[in-house]
């Protein structure tokens, strides 16, 4: 398939720059993937679409304040470091700007030197491995010095770090939020449980590959970056029981969807465990486990557009997006939501 098959026109002013005060007050476009029928609702009305015996699967990863602003030792030149993957002995794979100055041996100071980093090597895609040195607890220092790594299309400063975090975030490790989950409040989740809907969690630490553009003209030539995922035994049993009893598996976000499909066996049963996934879901993919998807509106020509097109059909997705633009929905991370059922 051609990359341009997933392009649509989006007016700049429809890119949401700030989260709504009420998380569950976003708009919700419901798309029936069998008929193509579309309905317009408010997100909290998602509860009316869920049936007793269904299972909602959320990604409980937690975004770390992974953006660090420092200065080069000696010259004082400004350096921006984005933490991507944690290794052993306080070594991280990072994205550094400007990269030309971050040669092996270069040292970077953060927060008047309470945190220092030394560039060890240049790896794939020009990323840098940096060893950090500090006194105390790294997470506490990062919380003091780091900023939330908002996507490049968000230009406003985030006033409250927690608004780029789901209310069920638990395991540190993401460079970006699983944004479909930002619409849920504790009250809405409790109401969903009270309705007889199960809520299960998986973990996928969202990497920077989320924001990387697809450069291959033929999408089949695109290579996904790998991300770490984890499925606990108890959660796998809960999800498998739902499937066996005829309930629907409803993934909250493309990251939950990719985790479930990565960990599903050929028989459609979810396997507990952890590992790295570079699964690329595009039209023609046969879903093993996921029945429905709650998701935000995605960038044109992105791998996420391809994933939702695999689930609902490209023509139906493009028609839904055209209608969302016409109806002035808010797009991307802090924007409105879609339920593909």
């Amino acid at each position: 398939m051609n990359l341009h098959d997933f392009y649509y026109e989006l007016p700049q002013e429809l890119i949401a720059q700030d989260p709504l005060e009420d998380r569950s007050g976003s708009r919700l476009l419901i798309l029936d993937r069998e008929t193509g029928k579309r309905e317009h609702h408010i997100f909290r009305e998602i509860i009316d679409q869920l049936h007793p015996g269904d299972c909602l699967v959320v990604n409980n990863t937690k975004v770390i304040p992974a953006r660090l602003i420092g200065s080069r030792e000696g010259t004082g030149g400004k350096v921006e470091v984005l933490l991507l993957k944690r290794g052993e002995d306080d070594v991280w794979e990072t994205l550094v700007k400007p990269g030309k100055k971050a040669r092996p041996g270069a040292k970077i100071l953060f927060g008047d030197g309470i945190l220092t980093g030394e560039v060890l090597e240049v790896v794939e895609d020009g990323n840098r491995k940096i060893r950090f040195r500090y006194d105390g607890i790294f997470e506490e220092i990062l919380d003091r010095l780091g900023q939330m790594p908002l996507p490049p299309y968000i230009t406003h400063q985030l006033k409250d770090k927690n608004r780029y975090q789901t209310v069920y975030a638990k395991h540190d490790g993401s460079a970006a939020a699983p944004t479909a989950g930002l619409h849920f409040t504790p009250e809405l989740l409790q109401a969903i449980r009270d309705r007889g809907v199960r809520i299960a969690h998986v973990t996928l630490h969202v990497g920077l590959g989320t924001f990387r553009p697809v450069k291959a003209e033929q999408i089949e030539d695109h290579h996904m970056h790998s991300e770490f995922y984890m499925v606990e035994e108890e959660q796998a049993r809960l999800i498998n029981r739902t499937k066996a009893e005829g309930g629907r598996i409803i993934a909250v976000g493309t990251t939950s969807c990719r985790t479930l499909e990565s960990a599903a066996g050929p028989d459609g049963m979810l396997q507990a465990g952890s590992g790295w996934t570079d699964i690329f879901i595009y039209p023609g993919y046969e879903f093993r486990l996921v029945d429905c998807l709650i998701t935000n509106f995605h960038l044109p020509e992105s791998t996420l557009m391809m994933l939702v097109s695999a689930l609902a059909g490209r023509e139906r997705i493009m028609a839904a997006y055209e209608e969302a633009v016409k109806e002035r929905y808010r797009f991307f991370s802090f924007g409105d939501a879609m339920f593909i059922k």
Side-chain angles (χ1 to χ4, degrees), residues 64-238:
I64 59 173
R67 185 168 172 257
L68 290 162
I69 307 298
S71 58
R72 285 177 63 221
E73 186 179 66
T75 66
K78 181 182 171 184
V79 179
E80 180 179 324
V81 174
L82 185 64
L83 304 178
L84 298 179
K85 288 182 188 174
R86 188 174 205 157
E88 296 179 351
D89 301 322
D90 292 311
V91 175
W92 284 76
E93 185 176 331
T94 69
L95 181 68
V96 181
K97 296 181 186 176
K100 288 180 182 177
K101 305 287 187 181
R103 299 187 183 95
K107 292 188 177 174
I108 307 167
L109 310 178
F110 306 93
D112 297 324
I114 65 171
L115 178 68
T116 63
E118 180 183 356
V119 179
L120 300 180
E121 61 176 311
V122 180
V123 293
E124 187 185 2
D125 293 326
N127 294 345
R128 267 67 176 166
K129 282 197 174 177
I130 294 180
R131 173 175 282 121
F132 290 95
R133 300 192 187 282
Y134 52 89
D135 290 322
I137 299 169
F138 184 77
E139 286 76 12
E140 290 180 359
I141 293 169
L142 192 61
D143 204 45
R144 281 171 57 193
L145 301 181
Q147 302 172 17
M148 282 300 190
L150 294 179
Y153 48 76
I154 293 177
T155 57
H156 291 190
Q157 192 73 33
L158 186 62
K159 294 172 186 172
D160 178 3
K161 281 183 183 180
N162 287 326
R163 291 313 308 273
Y164 194 57
Q165 208 78 270
T166 62
V167 296
Y168 44 75
K170 183 179 180 183
H171 298 295
D172 286 334
S174 273
T179 54
L182 296 178
H183 302 285
F184 287 94
T185 64
E187 295 78 14
L188 179 56
L189 289 167
Q190 188 56 52
I192 288 168
R193 287 190 190 93
D194 292 344
R195 193 177 177 86
V197 177
R198 297 159 174 159
I199 299 178
H201 59 255
V202 295
T203 306
L204 182 133
H205 292 321
V206 189
L208 198 66
T210 294
F211 304 125
R212 288 193 190 276
V214 178
K215 294 178 180 175
E217 272 301 312
Q218 296 302 309
I219 66 168
E220 296 86 349
D221 297 333
H222 176 70
H223 176 66
M224 295 283 284
H225 284 70
S226 61
E227 295 167 311
F228 180 79
Y229 76 89
M230 181 171 58
V231 178
E232 296 171 6
E233 186 73 51
E234 181 186 347
Q235 303 303 308
R237 282 199 300 268
L238 179 63

